[in-house]
Every structure is written in structure tokens, then in C-alpha cells.
């Protein structure tokens, strides 16, 4: 019965409403799945996610033809899985654009950036290679002992178990956007650390008084 449904109806009414894992299962398990679930269809989902997160023209994919399906799939996955993390990261990206830390044509992201690190950090790594402050790259770089570095700043993920009992950051702790330590400072989340750091950079750039 499913094969009697026109492809356009599948694309326009059915596939659009399916969670991404179900979309991929449809592509892999159905004889005509590859003709329905295409890179172009994933681009439509990506554009919808960018608009929903108010990221259009701030973050973008590489749209040069031909469109690699695996790349589009990773991009769609990060946008849809990171729905809770994108608002905070979006604020950082908008500030970075205002203060010209990003390219004028937006941030096309790196397709190899998504690894087994907290999701907010993975999102940041998508456009890590395009952020600069002065002559310093603001890429998230691995350092020793599980630590990272952004520019000259050392950062470390603080697991929930390391927080003292009753600590205010323990309540609502998110493994996808975890508590971060930078030197002696502790931040509620990676996105909060980025926003704080952005404000400090802007103060230094503009010579604002503390």
C-alpha cells in the first residue's frame, strides 16, 4: 500500500513529520527510500531548523553541488538533536557576528566537527575554524588530561559528580551543555562561558571600563 502513495506526498506530508532516525530507517529499509529521502530533502529540514532557531544567515551548510548525503545528514542531526542547546549558542553566534568575529557571509560549518563531546561543544566546533579574536583562532582545541583550549583560555568540563553536594550548578545540570571551569572561574554551562567570554572580549576591544 505504501508504494502506491505518490513520492511527492511522502516527501511533503509524511517524511517531513517523521523524526530523523525514522527518516533514515525509511531510506535504508524501503526499496524506493533513496528516491524519497534525498540530500535535497535534508536541506529542506536543515533550512527549517535554521529558521526555527533564528540562525538563518548566521550559520549555514556548504551548499556547493553535489550535496553529499552523509554531510547533510550530520548537519540535520546536530540541528535537530541540539534543539535545547541552540538558543544559547545562537546568542553567542549573533554577538560574534556583531563584533565581527565571524566571516561576513556567515559560518559554514565543518562536517567533521561532531564527535563524542558534549553537544554544546560539538555545536561550537562546527564553526570553530572561522572564529578569530585579533590574530588568535578561537577554535576549540584538545589539550592535556581531557582539557580544552579556546584561544589562550584553558577550559575543562566539570562532571556532575565533581560538584559539591547542594551546589547551585548541580540543580539542572545538563550533560549536553555542562558546567565549565576556566582557571579559577566556574560557569553554569559551556554556552554561559562563551557569552561571558564574548562580553570580556568586547570590553577589551572597545576599551570599556569594567
Amino acid at each position: 500500500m505504501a508504494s502506491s502513495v505518490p513520492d511527492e506526498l511522502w516527501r511533503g506530508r509524511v517524511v517531513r513529520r517523521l523524526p530523523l532516525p525514522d527518516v533514515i530507517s525509511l531510506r535504508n529499509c524501503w526499496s524506493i527510500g533513496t528516491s524519497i529521502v534525498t540530500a535535497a530533502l535534508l536541506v529542506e529540514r536543515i533550512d527549517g531548523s535554521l529558521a526555527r532557531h533564528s540562525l538563518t544567515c548566521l550559520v549555514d551548510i556548504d551548499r556547493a553541488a553535489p550535496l553529499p548525503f552523509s554531510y547533510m545528514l550530520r548537519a540535520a542531526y546536530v540541528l535537530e538533536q541540539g534543539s535545547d542547546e541552540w538558543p544559547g549558542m545562537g546568542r553567542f553566534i549573533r554577538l560574534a557576528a556583531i563584533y565581527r568575529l565571524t566571516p561576513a557571509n556567515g559560518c559554514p560549518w565543518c562536517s567533521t566537527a561532531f564527535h563524542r563531546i558534549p553537544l554544546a561543544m560539538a555545536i561550537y566546533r562546527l564553526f570553530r575554524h572561522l572564529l578569530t579574536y585579533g590574530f588568535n583562532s578561537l577554535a576549540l582545541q584538545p589539550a592535556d588530561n581531557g582539557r580544552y583550549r579556546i584561544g589562550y583560555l584553558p577550559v575543562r568540563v566539570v562532571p556532575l559528580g565533581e560538584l559539591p553536594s547542594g551546589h547551585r550548578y548541580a540543580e539542572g545540570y545538563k550533560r549536553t551543555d555542562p558546567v565549565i571551569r576556566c582557571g579559577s572561574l566556574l560557569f553554569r554551562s559551556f554556552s554561559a562561558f562563551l557569552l561571558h567570554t564574548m562580553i570580556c572580549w568586547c570590553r577589551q576591544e572597545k576599551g570599556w571600563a569594567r
Side-chain angles (χ1 to χ4, degrees):
M1 180 180 297
S3 60
S4 64
V5 177
D7 289 0
E8 290 304 318
L9 183 59
W10 272 101
R11 294 191 191 97
R13 297 289 185 87
V14 180
V15 177
R16 186 173 296 178
R17 290 171 170 78
L18 291 176
L20 193 58
D22 292 343
V23 171
I24 302 310
S25 295
L26 177 66
R27 175 182 167 89
N28 293 335
C29 300
W30 194 21
S31 59
I32 62 171
T34 54
S35 67
I36 293 175
V37 182
T38 62
L41 183 138
L42 292 179
V43 169
E44 292 181 10
R45 292 182 72 113
I46 290 168
D47 287 341
S49 294
L50 290 174
R52 187 166 58 254
H53 298 315
S54 300
L55 294 170
T56 303
C57 297
L58 290 175
V59 173
D60 204 359
I61 55 175
D62 183 355
R63 297 175 183 266
L67 302 175
F69 183 85
S70 59
Y71 168 70
M72 297 302 165
L73 178 59
R74 283 194 292 269
Y77 178 82
V78 171
L79 281 166
E80 295 186 21
Q81 292 297 309
S83 58
D84 291 337
E85 284 66 42
W86 274 112
M89 295 302 296
R91 287 190 290 271
F92 170 78
I93 297 168
R94 281 186 284 275
L95 279 173
I98 290 171
Y99 289 100
R100 300 181 181 179
L101 302 182
T102 63
N105 60 345
C107 290
W109 60 41
C110 173
S111 64
T112 60
F114 195 72
H115 298 296
R116 291 186 177 181
I117 60 176
L119 187 54
M121 298 175 74
I123 291 172
Y124 181 81
R125 292 193 71 182
L126 291 171
F127 43 86
R128 69 193 188 278
H129 56 303
L130 296 168
L131 295 172
T132 58
Y133 175 65
F135 296 102
N136 296 315
S137 168
L138 300 181
L140 178 68
Q141 301 284 0
D144 296 332
N145 300 320
R147 291 173 169 80
Y148 299 89
R149 183 173 295 277
I150 296 179
Y152 57 85
L153 298 175
V155 297
R156 183 176 73 87
V157 173
V158 179
L160 178 59
E162 286 190 16
L163 294 175
S165 178
H167 194 282
R168 67 184 188 278
Y169 290 169
E171 183 177 356
Y173 185 98
K174 296 177 65 177
R175 287 179 172 80
T176 54
D177 193 9
V179 172
I180 292 292
R181 179 173 293 282
C182 178
S184 61
L185 299 178
L186 198 65
F187 297 88
R188 178 179 293 277
S189 63
F190 180 72
S191 56
F193 158 75
L194 288 178
L195 288 173
H196 171 87
T197 305
M198 171 67 68
I199 292 171
C200 291
W201 287 331
C202 294
R203 284 176 176 269
Q204 294 172 14
E205 183 73 17
K206 299 297 183 181
W208 295 344
R210 292 184 179 274

